[in-house]
Amino acid sequence: MAVRSNIVGIDSPEALEKALRAAYYLADEGLATAAYLGLALGKPLLLEGAPGVGKTEAAKAIAAVLGRRLIRLQCYEGIDSSAALYEWNYPRQMLAIRQAGDDSIDIYGETFLIERPMLAALRAPDSTVLLIDEIDRADQEFEAFLLEFLSDFQISIPERGTVRAAERPVVVLTSNRTRDLHEALRRRCVYHWIDYPTAEREARIIMMRASSVAEATARAVVAAVERLRREPLSKAPGIAEAVDWAEAATLLNKGGARWPDAFKRSIGVALKDEEDLHFIAPRLDAMLAEATA
C-alpha cells in the first residue's frame, strides 16, 4: 500500500482540521483523524450518523480543501450499475447508424458514452472527490457491486475494455444507518461515526455559517434543537436546520418580531413534518422560553 503522508500540504490530522475550518467546516479530532487516514492510506472514508449531522457537508469540505470537483452519486432504492457507471446513448447511436448509411461506424465511440459518477471519478482521480451518498438506501445487490469497485478501482466496459484509475481516487461514503452495511464494505473503508456536535461546537457552527446571527441567538437555537432532538419526532432538526432557524429568527427579529416569538414563527424552518409540528405545539412556548432564558 502506498502511503501518502502529505496531501496538498496536509501532513497531519491537525493540519486537516485547520484546513477544514478554513472551508467553514468544524471537524472534531475524530473526524479529522479518520479523514486524514483515508486520504493518506488511499482508502474510502465511510461516515455514518443520523440525518443532518454533517456527513455530506464533510465530503464537500474535503473536496474544497483538496481543490477538487465533488462528484455526487445519490443512492436510492433500486439504483443499479448503469446509473452509477455509464450508459450508452441509444437514440444517438440509432441516429448515427441511419446517417452513416452503408458506411461503417463505431457506435461505441466516446461520443456515444454517457459518463456516470463512478466512471467520471475513475477517469479523473487526481481532480475529483467521489461522494457515494446514503449508501444504506441502496439494496444489497448494489452494495455487492460496489465492493469490487472499491477494491480495484476499475470497471469493465465490454465494448471498450477495462478502465482503471491512474491513482486511487478519493471516495467518501455516507450512511444514515437505516440498515446495516455488509462487513466486507466496512473492511474496505476508514470508518467514523458522526454524532450531533456539543452545544458549544454547534453554536460555533451556527455563527460561522450565519455571520449575521448573534451569539445569544445561536446559543438559544442550540438549546432549543437539543430539546427537540430528545423528542420522538419523525425528523429531528439537523445542523443545517439549526443554522437556517437562527438565520430565519434573526431576520424576523430585525423586521420587528420580539423574542422568543421570532423563534416560534419560524419553527417551520426547523421542523418540516406536519405531525412533528402538531406533536410539539402544546409545549413549544415553554420550550422556547426556557431556551431563551
Side-chain angles (χ1 to χ4, degrees):
M1 178 189 299
V3 177
R4 300 171 292 185
S5 59
N6 188 300
I7 308 100
V8 295
I10 297 170
D11 58 1
S12 67
E14 292 74 21
L16 180 56
E17 187 276 330
K18 185 177 180 180
L20 289 171
R21 194 186 322 138
Y24 298 97
Y25 188 92
L26 288 181
D28 60 17
E29 181 183 19
L31 175 56
T33 301
Y36 171 75
L37 290 176
L39 293 172
L41 299 175
K43 286 181 169 291
L45 174 65
L46 172 58
L47 301 177
E48 276 196 323
V53 295
K55 303 183 294 296
T56 300
E57 289 300 316
K60 293 178 180 179
I62 290 171
V65 166
L66 298 177
R68 298 185 176 192
R69 176 171 63 99
L70 182 74
I71 301 175
R72 182 175 180 175
L73 173 61
Q74 177 62 57
C75 296
Y76 53 87
E77 185 177 354
I79 188 173
D80 58 15
S81 59
S82 63
L85 293 175
Y86 69 92
E87 289 183 285
W88 291 111
N89 191 329
Y90 182 73
R92 191 169 184 177
Q93 287 175 321
M94 293 299 99
L95 179 61
I97 290 173
R98 287 197 296 269
Q99 290 177 339
D102 295 331
D103 297 335
S104 127
I105 183 173
D106 179 11
I107 61 171
Y108 295 110
E110 184 67 29
T111 57
F112 303 105
L113 184 65
I114 301 175
E115 192 177 72
R116 297 305 185 198
M118 291 168 65
L119 177 58
L122 286 184
R123 287 176 146 184
D126 59 342
S127 61
T128 60
V129 171
L130 175 62
L131 167 61
I132 304 175
D133 216 7
E134 297 183 318
I135 180 61
D136 55 317
R137 295 182 63 183
D139 54 31
Q140 294 182 346
E141 287 74 14
F142 182 78
E143 189 178 337
F145 150 76
L146 195 59
L147 291 176
E148 183 178 357
F149 174 83
L150 296 178
S151 295
D152 303 324
F153 290 108
Q154 68 177 37
I155 63 171
S156 177
I157 303 177
E159 302 83 359
R160 294 173 62 89
T162 300
V163 179
R164 295 182 178 84
E167 61 180 76
R168 295 180 73 86
V170 176
V171 181
V172 180
L173 301 94
T174 72
S175 167
N176 294 331
R177 208 166 191 176
T178 58
R179 68 172 179 86
D180 288 334
L181 301 179
H182 197 283
E183 186 63 28
L185 179 66
R186 295 179 181 275
R187 285 200 305 268
R188 285 161 171 78
C189 303
V190 175
Y191 177 84
H192 183 69
W193 172 267
I194 300 183
D195 209 342
Y196 287 114
T198 63
E200 179 65 29
R201 181 178 293 275
E202 190 160 16
R204 289 172 57 198
I205 292 172
I206 291 173
M207 289 184 288
M208 173 185 284
R209 290 294 184 115
S211 58
S212 63
V213 172
E215 182 176 352
T217 302
R219 294 190 180 281
V221 166
V222 169
V225 296
E226 282 191 332
R227 287 164 175 78
L228 289 173
R229 288 168 185 161
R230 291 197 291 267
E231 299 290 337
L233 303 176
S234 62
K235 176 62 175 70
I239 298 173
E241 284 78 21
V243 173
D244 291 344
W245 196 13
E247 286 188 307
T250 298
L251 183 63
L252 292 181
N253 177 252
K254 289 180 179 179
R258 300 174 64 86
W259 304 112
D261 190 50
F263 288 122
K264 184 177 181 179
R265 289 173 59 184
S266 56
I267 186 63
V269 176
L271 296 181
K272 303 175 182 180
D273 182 88
E274 180 185 4
E275 292 183 359
D276 287 347
L277 289 169
H278 181 74
F279 174 79
I280 211 69
R283 287 166 292 142
L284 185 59
D285 287 336
M287 187 179 296
L288 292 177
E290 184 180 354
T292 56

